[in-house]
Amino acid sequence: MAEKKQGGEIVRVIILCVFWYIVSSSNNVVGKTILNEFPYPMTVTMVQLVSITLYSGPVLKWMRVRKRTDISWPYYKKIILPLALGKFLSSVSSHVSIWKVPVSYAHTVKATMPLFTVLLARIIFREKQSMKVYMSLVPIVLGVAIATITEISFDVIGLAAALLATCGFSLQNIFSKKVLLDTGIHHLRLLHLLGKLSLFMFLPIWIFSDGYTIAIDSSWFKRREPVETFFLLFLDGMLNWLQNLLAFTILHYVTPLTYAVANCSKRITVIAVSLIMLRNPVTVTNVLGMLLAILGVLAYNKAKYDANKAKKRAAALPLSQVSSSKPLHIYSGMHTSQQPVQNHPAYLYTYSNGIPASGSHDVQNAGNAATPIMAHGELMAGQVVVLQDGQLRCSFSKSSTTSPTSGGVALRA
């Protein structure tokens, strides 16, 4: 039964990926077609944000997706608002890139996403990679360099915009997954929330930039019929909404590594379709550079897969060497009732009845607490620590967790 269910999940993800590739390729072709005669990338971005805001609400209601959970304001400021800012800036940068350079070249540059992922993981999480992962980045860089040197329609602004968009999308992938895990918010609710926040944050900026320019510029009426332009904008907004819907859904179902592989395959599809549909001129060397970059991405994904397998093999460690962010069950004295609690930095909660002050090592009364606690971070050998909001609440040896009758507390992750 379990195997049948797993097989159904795999088929579902494959179908979602196929639709994602088709919609994404169409979206890029339509976007390039618009920007060739309507050079306002910020306006195209704003139309897409309006589409996300308008279309997501009714769909969420029709699907009976649970309402958004209350998120604490500190978490909102720290994670959600920067994520919305990044979504807007990344989208604008992406549109600038396909406006200035061919879609095939823009997506070749975006193949550098693993490079940004490794760098950002190192900077933000201090995460080190294996030598195989670092070596897999070499063909990516070489491939993009060859494609850049041999690109007939090269533009510096287009290159810079593509790199900026790639960096932004890397951050989005990392922190979107974090928000989904932290808050339990439905992935489509998160898409709707980010789209709405981005729209209202940058609507004033658009009014005084593109909005004003379009109002006084009559030349775009002459380049293409206004009705055709509005239809293409509507179509682009619809396709982008569907693309985001599919991307967030796939990200919800699979691991970040699987998503990276699927994204790589999507990039190959977009490049191939754009070359066929838009007929932008390319050289043999240029195509070889694109292929080298894509092969580098595949090598990176394989290296990450091997690294993850090695981590799983090393997972059978003593309790004292394992860190966890799962809810803890509390035992005090002879009391054995489990009290799972909703405890996460994304939510507001309070402490009461004897949680020791920061820095205290007294845990005799810690079991009286009826509110959330978390254990996370690297644990010293033979030691368990309990923290909240980064502050040490108690610390005790591993042996004290095995004697709930001793008056101490036993924690189970």
Side-chain angles (χ1 to χ4, degrees):
M1 187 69 180
E3 291 181 0
K4 187 176 180 181
K5 184 178 180 182
Q6 186 178 10
E9 289 289 333
I10 292 172
V11 171
R12 179 191 295 178
V13 171
I14 291 173
I15 293 173
L16 286 171
C17 285
V18 170
F19 277 110
W20 188 30
Y21 299 168
I22 294 171
V23 171
S24 182
S25 301
S26 304
N27 186 214
N28 278 273
V29 170
V30 171
K32 181 66 174 178
T33 304
I34 293 172
L35 291 167
N36 281 340
E37 304 296 339
F38 186 77
Y40 299 104
M42 188 178 289
T43 300
V44 177
T45 301
M46 291 301 291
V47 169
Q48 292 180 351
L49 294 177
V50 169
S51 300
I52 291 172
T53 303
L54 291 180
Y55 303 152
S56 295
V59 170
L60 290 171
K61 189 174 181 180
W62 173 70
M63 293 176 64
R64 296 182 180 178
V65 174
R66 63 183 180 275
K67 291 185 177 180
R68 180 165 55 88
T69 52
D70 290 330
I71 299 174
S72 67
W73 178 239
Y75 189 86
Y76 217 86
K77 290 190 296 183
K78 185 179 179 181
I79 303 293
I80 303 295
L81 290 179
L83 197 54
L85 170 64
K87 180 174 180 59
F88 177 83
L89 294 178
S90 299
S91 297
V92 172
S93 300
S94 181
H95 286 124
V96 170
S97 69
I98 65 171
W99 170 38
K100 291 291 186 179
V101 296
V103 172
S104 56
Y105 175 65
H107 277 268
T108 302
V109 174
K110 289 176 183 178
T112 56
M113 186 174 287
L115 176 63
F116 284 102
T117 301
V118 169
L119 290 174
L120 291 170
R122 179 63 177 155
I123 294 170
I124 299 172
F125 303 114
R126 301 187 182 279
E127 180 182 327
K128 293 182 180 180
Q129 308 294 334
S130 66
M131 183 56 67
K132 284 178 65 177
V133 172
Y134 289 127
M135 292 303 296
S136 69
L137 299 176
V138 175
I140 297 176
V141 175
L142 286 176
V144 173
I146 292 171
T148 300
I149 293 170
T150 58
E151 176 57 49
I152 297 173
S153 306
F154 176 76
D155 184 271
V156 176
I157 296 176
L159 172 62
L163 289 171
L164 182 59
T166 306
C167 181
F169 287 132
S170 298
L171 282 170
Q172 262 192 274
N173 290 341
I174 292 170
F175 285 100
S176 291
K177 195 71 176 181
K178 174 178 171 58
V179 172
L180 291 173
L181 294 172
D182 284 358
T183 65
I185 188 173
H186 194 279
H187 56 283
L188 301 184
R189 285 279 179 202
L190 179 59
L191 171 62
H192 187 211
L193 174 63
L194 294 179
K196 187 165 57 175
L197 284 174
S198 299
L199 174 63
F200 289 113
M201 285 168 65
F202 290 96
L203 184 59
I205 297 175
W206 174 81
I207 290 173
F208 290 104
S209 56
D210 271 17
Y212 176 75
T213 306
I214 292 170
I216 62 174
D217 179 21
S218 59
S219 62
W220 65 274
F221 281 92
K222 302 173 184 177
R223 291 191 291 267
R224 180 184 286 128
E225 286 293 327
V227 174
E228 185 181 354
T229 299
F230 288 131
F231 172 75
L232 288 174
L233 285 171
F234 166 78
L235 182 61
D236 183 71
M238 174 67 77
L239 289 171
N240 180 261
W241 173 70
L242 285 173
Q243 178 181 253
N244 277 279
L245 193 73
L246 292 166
F248 270 77
T249 301
I250 293 169
L251 186 63
H252 173 72
Y253 279 117
V254 303
T255 64
L257 179 60
T258 306
Y259 180 83
V261 175
N263 195 46
C264 176
S265 303
K266 184 205 75 172
R267 204 169 303 288
I268 296 172
T269 306
V270 171
I271 290 172
V273 170
S274 68
L275 288 175
I276 295 170
M277 298 294 293
L278 299 175
R279 301 180 183 278
N280 55 283
V282 290
T283 62
V284 174
T285 312
N286 191 239
V287 173
L288 289 176
M290 294 178 188
L291 291 175
L292 182 59
I294 297 299
L295 289 174
V297 175
L298 293 173
Y300 165 82
N301 290 328
K302 178 64 169 64
K304 284 291 290 182
Y305 174 76
D306 291 341
N308 287 339
K309 281 186 69 176
K311 286 181 180 179
K312 286 181 180 179
R313 284 196 297 268
L317 297 173
L319 175 63
S320 59
Q321 297 180 38
V322 177
S323 61
S324 173
S325 60
K326 295 180 180 178
L328 302 175
H329 300 280
I330 305 171
Y331 302 82
S332 179
M334 293 297 293
H335 183 62
T336 58
S337 63
Q338 296 185 14
Q339 295 181 344
V341 288
Q342 184 185 47
N343 55 343
H344 205 281
Y347 298 96
L348 289 173
Y349 52 91
T350 58
Y351 280 72
S352 64
N353 298 332
I355 288 292
S358 177
S360 172
H361 292 257
D362 176 21
V363 297
Q364 294 299 311
N365 297 318
N368 296 327
T371 44
I373 40 180
M374 292 199 59
H376 46 139
E378 288 295 329
L379 303 181
M380 301 293 290
Q383 184 185 34
V384 176
V385 294
V386 178
L387 303 97
Q388 184 261 335
D389 291 339
Q391 299 297 316
L392 180 67
R393 293 301 175 185
C394 54
S395 174
F396 46 91
S397 66
K398 180 182 174 183
S399 60
S400 66
T401 68
T402 61
S403 298
T405 59
S406 64
V409 347
L411 304 177
R412 186 180 72 182

